[in-house]
């Protein structure tokens, strides 16, 4: 089994694509910020620090030794610049590790010399500490100049990045709303297409929104209206022909009874007439369908038992109860359509398995589905012929067929199953025979009473 992590819907695929593009744009924007804003700003700050050191050195060199103390006081009060003589036992802390500070330190070292020392704190006092010498020839003439760290932390990359992420989130939200306007109508079209597949008339789709979606909705509405008209005409023709045939059949049945022929011949001809009447009934059932019948609350167990008793009252004692997993099996379904479908399966089983072998009618719940089953011990159906036999007017030219029948029985059952969101399964039985199952997706999840 292949596990796919990529989203499959148009909505999420488009959303993640737009999100990826926005993310790449933010990454490119951040690199541009670092390249053309953050790094040049840091070099400017480094140049400022170099200027402060040079101006401080020049002021100390040119100032009267008696006035140096007053100069240092003024620099500290007015500019926030502090000058301290370096001591061998100074307790120094490292500089903060940030891209801006690293660029500043590299710029200062390049201009003041590689022997320049840096510290993030001295004797517990935090700041940007830079060493310099008033007399380059005197190795002991070493001083520290300290500037407040706030002056060098104005390049707030995190703040800029936060605003960029906020803008990206707003852009993705807008992209989601835009794509949603496309995905919503597409979901409506898909739901309407599934209703057409089940043989149900879909509601008319709204012809609004983007021009492309509007055109698709209009075309779908035209298609569904054409299909509905075609289905109506076909059903009308089929029902009319079938109805007209029943009148001469009734006269034929009456004429057979009045011929005075041998009873065996009369019974044989009457059986043929009854078979023809059943075929006409199947035509009517196929033409009528179940689209005009509404859903109702039903009991699967009661429906199965009622059909079993109906056949037994007609003298078909071999129609017996199979696996019925509860005294009540509630679900939503179309009662007349389901009765016709299950009756068709029972009639098929009686036709091909005979009246001597048992035909088991069952009903069970399996997960969220309700399954009606009709099992016989007839010749069965080859697995490669199952789907073909679900098509109208198709019959199996093998051991499970005879000269009678219209080839509509399984097509009617399949249509009813699809109208309930389920399917028709024709499975071989162990030991021979066929297990026909109608799966109803609308089964209620109410726990059955065992």
């Amino acid at each position: 089994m292949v596990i796919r992590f990529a989203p499959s819907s148009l909505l999420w695929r488009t959303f993640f694509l737009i999100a990826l593009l926005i993310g790449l744009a933010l990454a490119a924007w951040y690199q541009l910020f670092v390249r053309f804003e953050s790094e040049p700003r840091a070099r400017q700050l480094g140049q400022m620090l170099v200027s402060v050191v040079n101006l401080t050195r020049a002021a100390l060199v040119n100032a009267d030794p008696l006035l140096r103390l007053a100069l240092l006081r003024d620099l500290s009060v007015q500019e926030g610049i502090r000058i301290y003589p370096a001591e061998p036992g100074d307790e120094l802390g490292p500089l903060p590790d940030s891209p801006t500070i690293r660029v500043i330190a590299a710029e200062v070292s390049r201009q003041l010399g590689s022997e320049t020392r840096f510290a993030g704190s001295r004797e517990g006092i935090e700041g940007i500490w830079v060493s310099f010498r008033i007399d380059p020839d005197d190795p002991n003439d070493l001083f520290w100049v300290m500037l407040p760290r706030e002056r060098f932390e104005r390049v707030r990359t995190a703040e800029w990045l936060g605003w960029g992420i906020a803008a990206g989130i707003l852009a993705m939200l807008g992209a989601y709303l835009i794509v949603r306007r496309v995905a919503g109508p597409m979901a409506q079209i898909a739901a309407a297409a599934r209703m057409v597949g089940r043989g149900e008339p879909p509601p008319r789709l709204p012809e609004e929104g983007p021009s492309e979606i509007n055109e698709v909705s209009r075309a779908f509405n035209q298609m569904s209206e054409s299909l509905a008209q075609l289905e109506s005409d076909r059903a009308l023709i089929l029902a009319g022909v079938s109805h007209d045939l029943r009148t001469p059949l009734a006269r034929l049945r009456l004429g057979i009874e009045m011929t005075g022929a041998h009873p065996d011949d009369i019974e044989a001809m009457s059986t043929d007439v009854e078979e023809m009447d059943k075929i006409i009934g199947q035509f009517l059932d196929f033409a009528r369908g179940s689209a005009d019948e509404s859903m109702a609350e039903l009991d699967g167990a009661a429906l199965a038992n009622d059909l079993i008793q109906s056949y037994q009252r007609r003298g078909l004692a071999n129609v017996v109860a199979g696996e019925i997993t509860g005294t009540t099996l509630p679900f939503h379904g179309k009662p007349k359509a389901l009765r016709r479908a299950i009756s068709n399966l029972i009639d098929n089983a009686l036709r091909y398995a005979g009246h001597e072998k048992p035909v088991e009618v069952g009903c069970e719940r399996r997960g969220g589905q309700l399954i009606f089953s009709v099992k016989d011990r007839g010749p069965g159906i080859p697995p490669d012929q199952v789907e073909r036999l679900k098509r109208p007017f198709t019959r199996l030219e093998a051991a499970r067929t005879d000269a009678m029948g219209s080839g509509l029985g399984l097509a009617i059952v399949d249509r009813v199953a699809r109208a309930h969101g389920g399917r028709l399964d024709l499975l071989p039985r162990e030991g021979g025979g066929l297990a026909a199952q109608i799966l109803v997706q609308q089964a209620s999840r109410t726990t059955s009473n065992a």
Side-chain angles (χ1 to χ4, degrees):
M1 182 178 63
V2 179
I3 300 177
R4 296 182 178 178
F5 295 96
S8 58
S9 67
L10 173 64
L11 171 64
W12 289 110
R13 282 188 176 183
T14 307
F15 176 76
F16 283 125
L17 176 60
I18 295 177
L20 176 62
L21 294 177
I22 292 176
L24 293 175
L26 284 175
W29 173 85
Y30 177 73
Q31 293 300 322
L32 290 173
F33 172 79
V34 172
R35 179 70 179 83
F36 295 105
E37 174 64 23
S38 179
E39 186 173 340
R41 186 79 176 272
R43 293 188 184 279
Q44 291 177 4
L45 291 173
Q47 181 62 47
M48 182 195 72
L49 183 55
V50 170
S51 300
V52 168
V53 172
N54 289 334
L55 291 174
T56 302
R57 182 192 293 118
L60 291 175
V61 169
N62 296 312
D64 189 325
L66 297 177
L67 300 176
R68 284 184 177 178
L69 183 59
L71 176 63
L72 295 177
R73 188 182 301 112
D74 289 341
L75 288 173
S76 176
V77 172
Q78 298 180 11
E79 301 295 336
I81 301 172
R82 300 182 185 181
I83 309 297
Y84 297 93
E87 301 292 342
D90 286 342
E91 183 179 348
L92 304 177
L95 282 173
D97 186 16
S98 70
T100 301
I101 297 298
R102 287 197 295 269
V103 172
I104 292 174
E107 183 67 18
V108 172
S109 297
R110 185 181 66 82
Q111 297 195 38
L112 297 182
S114 59
E115 70 277 1
T116 304
R117 298 170 61 192
F118 300 90
S121 65
R122 177 181 176 273
E123 302 297 333
I125 302 175
E126 293 186 350
I128 302 299
W129 295 79
V130 181
S131 68
F132 70 95
R133 298 179 189 277
I134 295 179
D135 185 1
D137 297 328
D138 185 359
N140 297 321
D141 187 24
L142 185 65
F143 289 84
W144 289 101
V145 60
M146 189 277 286
L147 275 77
R149 188 178 296 178
E150 290 79 10
R151 295 189 181 185
F152 302 90
E153 294 179 346
R154 293 176 182 172
V155 184
R156 299 176 181 176
T157 304
E159 184 176 340
W160 281 87
L161 188 60
W163 281 107
I165 292 175
I169 292 175
L170 290 176
M172 287 188 287
L173 178 60
Y176 176 83
L177 295 176
I178 292 172
V179 176
R180 183 72 178 176
R181 291 195 63 192
V182 177
M186 294 296 289
Q188 290 181 338
I189 294 173
R194 282 192 288 269
M195 292 183 67
V196 172
R198 293 195 299 265
E200 301 175 3
R204 185 176 179 82
L205 297 176
E207 299 177 5
E208 57 188 19
S211 58
E212 294 82 359
I213 300 298
N214 190 11
E215 185 64 26
V216 172
S217 299
R218 184 180 298 110
F220 186 90
N221 287 333
Q222 293 174 352
M223 180 200 69
S224 60
E225 291 170 1
S226 299
L227 287 176
Q229 185 61 43
L230 181 64
E231 179 70 15
S232 176
D233 294 343
R234 182 190 61 81
L236 183 62
I237 294 172
L238 194 57
V241 171
S242 301
H243 182 271
D244 291 342
L245 286 176
R246 280 190 160 169
T247 301
L249 277 180
R251 290 199 299 266
L252 184 60
R253 183 183 292 109
L254 180 61
I256 290 172
E257 297 292 339
M258 298 177 63
T259 58
H262 192 276
D264 292 341
D265 295 334
I266 293 176
E267 182 179 357
M269 288 186 289
S270 297
T271 301
D272 291 341
V273 171
E274 290 177 1
E275 186 65 28
M276 292 173 66
D277 189 65
K278 288 181 180 178
I279 293 174
I280 292 173
Q282 286 188 334
F283 273 98
L284 289 173
D285 290 341
F286 186 76
R288 185 164 47 239
S290 61
D292 57 345
E293 186 180 5
S294 59
M295 291 283 185
E297 184 71 23
L298 302 176
D299 181 1
L303 178 59
N305 287 322
D306 184 58
L307 283 170
I308 293 169
Q309 294 171 7
S310 174
Y311 276 87
Q312 289 180 350
R313 283 195 296 268
R314 289 157 51 188
L316 299 170
N318 63 320
V319 179
V320 297
E323 185 176 4
I324 300 179
T325 57
T327 55
T328 59
L329 294 171
F331 74 105
H332 282 84
K334 301 181 177 182
K336 293 181 181 179
L338 282 172
R339 288 186 69 91
R340 282 199 304 268
I342 300 172
S343 296
N344 279 339
L345 294 180
I346 297 175
D347 291 341
N348 280 348
L350 291 172
R351 177 178 298 162
Y352 300 121
H355 292 187
E356 294 78 20
K357 299 177 181 178
V359 174
E360 302 173 15
V361 180
C363 182
E364 59 181 312
R365 190 183 304 284
R366 192 177 300 166
Q369 297 177 332
L370 202 67
I371 302 176
F372 292 95
S373 62
V374 177
K375 302 177 182 179
D376 64 53
R377 288 298 180 184
I381 296 175
D384 59 343
Q385 297 293 316
V386 168
E387 293 302 320
R388 186 179 72 85
L389 289 178
K390 295 179 184 179
R391 297 197 294 267
F393 307 106
T394 303
R395 302 169 70 247
L396 184 66
E397 302 300 332
R400 197 180 168 87
T401 188
D402 54 22
M404 307 304 291
S406 63
L408 281 176
L410 294 181
I412 294 172
V413 177
D414 183 59
R415 176 183 288 187
V416 171
R418 286 188 289 110
H420 286 78
R423 67 178 188 273
L424 168 65
D425 288 341
L426 302 174
L427 309 173
R429 295 185 68 186
E430 184 177 355
L434 182 72
Q437 296 180 342
I438 301 175
L439 283 72
V440 179
Q441 292 286 0
Q442 287 84 355
S444 169
R445 291 185 179 274
T446 305
T447 304
S448 62
N449 300 323

